Amino acid sequence: MTENLPTLDVTAPSTRAFEVAETLLRGFHFQDMRETHLLSCDFDAAMTAAERAVHHMSEAFVAEFPDVPAERAERAGELFMRALFLQDEIENRDAFEACFEHDVPPGAFVSSVPDDSEPDAINDDPRWRDVRELLGTVCDELDINPEYATLHTRFWRLHGQEVDGWETVARRAHRIKVARMAPSADGETVDNLAQYFVVGVTRHDEWVRESPERDVSSAIDIVAHYYQRLFDLRDES
């Protein structure tokens, strides 16, 4: 485990906790692989990776929100991943632009590159509104406070540009999600789980994208402990 992380009062995570952790992390791995394939304009490989990313994230959302009908949780997972795809497209705008010189198959990108009349700065890209709206629909599907969409979009904007303070915004956003997933959790527990989320993000940042096994293994212990505490809270309520 990582130094300075608070204890979650969890012993050994269950098989179920490890399974959900792996599902989530594989979703992020395939999100990264979509980005990698798009950087080389390999549309077929990118779309295959995107399908896998959506599948895994949808499964993770079903596990995270068992009180929501499965089809709605799956839809929320799909929308969340589409928002992630779009933020990748914003952050890689210049690198992806070359792909639009080819015949781009429908569905390869969430959006096209804005025309030259739009601001060039990443932070001013008008598509951030679309990211927020996608996350807002996620909130609608799962009955999450819509402030989550605003804060999570801000976290992605800051994190992608390596702006100081992204961790604080990420924790604020994730506290809202944790409070929805585990209504019985006290404030300290909610904040502890949000800290685990932030550490998970930093582990993700270190991935080298050589294989899903290598990427997943670097963060699975942290994420499994996170899920075990979440499951315990539900059992206690």
Side-chain angles (χ1 to χ4, degrees):
M1 298 297 289
T2 302
E3 287 184 339
N4 301 322
L5 269 177
T7 179
L8 293 179
D9 297 323
V10 170
T11 53
S14 64
T15 299
R16 173 63 171 157
F18 274 109
E19 288 174 345
V20 177
E22 181 171 358
T23 297
L24 179 80
L25 292 169
R26 282 183 177 270
F28 286 121
H29 168 80
F30 286 115
Q31 173 222 341
D32 285 352
M33 294 311 301
R34 171 187 181 267
E35 177 186 88
T36 297
H37 292 311
L38 285 177
L39 288 171
S40 59
C41 303
D42 187 343
F43 302 123
D44 288 343
M47 293 174 72
T48 297
E51 290 175 2
R52 292 175 177 172
V54 167
H55 170 74
H56 283 89
M57 189 60 66
S58 294
E59 283 198 350
F61 270 53
V62 169
E64 290 179 348
F65 296 94
D67 61 321
V68 174
E71 62 273 15
R72 290 182 60 186
E74 289 172 357
R75 173 65 174 160
E78 176 187 353
L79 292 169
F80 183 87
M81 187 54 74
R82 284 182 60 81
L84 268 174
F85 292 163
L86 184 51
Q87 66 96 29
D88 284 339
E89 292 171 25
I90 295 169
E91 292 174 0
N92 293 279
R93 171 176 167 168
D94 293 340
F96 286 171
E97 191 168 6
C99 291
F100 289 93
E101 298 174 4
H102 304 275
D103 291 329
V104 180
F109 288 89
V110 175
S111 72
S112 59
V113 176
D115 60 42
D116 293 338
S117 66
E118 299 291 355
D120 290 329
I122 289 176
N123 204 45
D124 295 329
D125 194 300
R127 291 174 293 175
W128 284 117
R129 291 191 298 269
D130 300 325
V131 172
R132 187 175 65 249
E133 288 176 3
L134 284 167
L135 292 178
T137 307
V138 171
C139 292
D140 291 342
E141 292 287 349
L142 303 173
D143 194 25
I144 296 176
N145 185 324
E147 181 67 8
Y148 172 80
T150 299
L151 289 172
H152 206 83
T153 302
R154 188 182 305 165
F155 147 53
W156 280 346
R157 292 173 77 163
L158 296 174
H159 174 261
Q161 299 172 76
E162 300 181 348
V163 176
D164 289 343
W166 70 262
E167 298 96 333
T168 299
V169 179
R171 283 175 60 180
R172 288 177 61 198
H174 202 71
R175 282 178 59 91
I176 295 172
K177 182 180 179 183
V178 171
R180 168 64 183 86
M181 292 189 295
S184 66
D186 59 32
E188 181 180 3
T189 301
V190 169
D191 194 57
N192 288 347
L193 287 168
Q195 289 185 57
Y196 272 67
F197 168 76
V198 171
V199 171
V201 172
T202 61
R203 291 289 179 90
H204 180 200
D205 293 342
E206 298 168 356
W207 286 0
V208 295
R209 307 185 184 185
E210 290 181 354
S211 73
E213 290 74 21
R214 179 171 178 175
D215 287 349
V216 168
S217 65
S218 72
I220 194 166
D221 195 51
I222 289 173
V223 181
H225 276 76
Y226 168 100
Y227 277 124
Q228 188 60 55
R229 184 62 182 125
L230 180 64
F231 297 160
D232 289 347
L233 286 165
R234 289 177 183 160
D235 291 342
E236 292 167 5
S237 63

